[in-house]
Amino acid sequence: MPRAIQKAQARGEHFDAGTCEMTERDTEFLPHWLVSLLPLLAVFVSYSILHLDIFWALMIGIGITVVFMGKYLPKQDFRGNRINVLQSLVQSLNMGASQYPNAMLNVITPSGLAAVITSTAAFGLVIGMFYGLSAALPIAAVALIATCVIVGITSSPPAALMIVIPNIIVPIALQAGTDMGVHAAMITRIAAIAASTFESLPFNGMCVMLMGVSHCTIKESYKPMGVISVGFTLIGAIVCTILAILVPEMFGIG
């Protein structure tokens, strides 16, 4: 990233707000960063540790936000008129509600696409292709290729892992007489790294949402994202696979 910034500066490029609306704010009148973490921690603890329903976990987070950060809400409406705390809260909730549908659609669209793809007959042919590869390649290489392909199709690392491990790798290993108990550490490491490669292709929901929020097009903003999140992670996954094949002792095999 520093190299990319230096090259841009050498071309005479500089920061441009684009179509984003820039407003001057008093940065001193902002909550302490520890206070800002409280709602996030509350949602995490409520949902992941206390196992509350996600609705109540989010409500707790919103409640803590209102209690600890209510004084930081805007004191004026969009027309510049002074408003009280309740009106400011309603205004903030309305702003969040207006942005929510687009964010939700951008995130769930790839998931819906993945569900449709995995239910087609063509997806079965893809699975069969990996079975064919297992005759010529080590199981570590098959894990790498299969995970990269499936995560590219589904745009979801968890979905890719849930498809690849039980539906591709384990049957191939059992068919070849491979002890998955011995190779589990190797396979899970390779698959976990490979699952973070093609998840961030331009049509990924989070990439689309991020570019939408920043008012940037794919042409303007995706190259650095692709180099860092796809290119370098793919190199890491390939290196991990090569080490698994050449030096299996690193994974407790041998």
Side-chain angles (χ1 to χ4, degrees):
M1 288 302 295
R3 177 174 172 80
I5 293 173
Q6 291 170 2
K7 291 173 65 177
Q9 289 176 334
R11 293 193 297 266
E13 297 181 13
H14 55 83
F15 175 75
D16 185 0
T19 59
C20 296
E21 181 181 352
M22 303 298 292
T23 57
E24 294 292 334
R25 294 197 62 183
D26 183 2
T27 55
E28 295 183 359
F29 191 67
L30 292 174
H32 192 274
W33 65 270
L34 286 175
V35 176
S36 301
L37 284 179
L38 290 178
L40 299 176
L41 292 174
V43 173
F44 173 78
V45 171
S46 302
Y47 183 70
S48 300
I49 298 179
L50 301 180
H51 303 293
L52 297 180
D53 186 88
I54 187 63
F55 172 81
W56 294 112
L58 292 174
M59 287 298 294
I60 291 173
I62 293 173
I64 291 177
T65 302
V66 173
V67 171
F68 287 93
M69 289 183 273
K71 64 179 181 179
Y72 300 103
L73 291 173
K75 299 299 187 293
Q76 295 180 336
D77 60 15
F78 300 114
R79 299 181 178 86
N81 300 321
R82 291 193 60 82
I83 54 178
N84 56 38
V85 175
L86 180 60
Q87 291 171 325
S88 180
L89 176 61
V90 171
Q91 175 179 281
S92 298
L93 291 175
N94 286 336
M95 289 176 60
S98 66
Q99 297 173 6
Y100 169 75
N102 288 335
M104 180 184 69
L105 289 174
N106 288 333
V107 172
I108 68 173
T109 298
S111 300
L113 177 62
V116 172
I117 291 174
T118 53
S119 64
T120 61
F123 188 76
L125 296 176
V126 174
I127 299 295
M129 177 188 70
F130 296 128
Y131 277 88
L133 288 176
S134 64
L137 297 175
I139 190 170
V142 176
L144 169 69
I145 297 172
T147 306
C148 287
V149 171
I150 299 302
V151 79
I153 294 174
T154 61
S155 192
S156 170
L161 293 175
M162 288 187 290
I163 292 172
V164 170
I165 299 297
N167 297 311
I168 299 176
I169 300 303
V170 172
I172 289 176
L174 295 176
Q175 186 178 14
T178 303
D179 186 355
M180 278 302 296
V182 174
H183 288 75
M186 175 186 71
I187 296 302
T188 52
R189 280 168 172 77
I190 294 173
I193 298 175
S196 62
T197 54
F198 296 110
E199 65 153 326
S200 50
L201 293 176
F203 55 82
N204 174 268
M206 293 305 297
C207 292
V208 173
M209 184 175 69
L210 179 61
M211 287 183 280
V213 170
S214 58
H215 299 264
C216 292
T217 64
I218 293 177
K219 182 178 179 180
E220 292 170 337
S221 60
Y222 182 73
K223 183 180 177 180
M225 297 166 61
V227 170
I228 293 173
S229 63
V230 177
F232 290 153
T233 51
L234 179 59
I235 293 172
I238 293 173
V239 171
C240 181
T241 304
I242 293 174
L243 290 175
I245 296 173
L246 299 180
V247 196
E249 295 81 7
M250 294 183 62
F251 299 88
I253 300 173

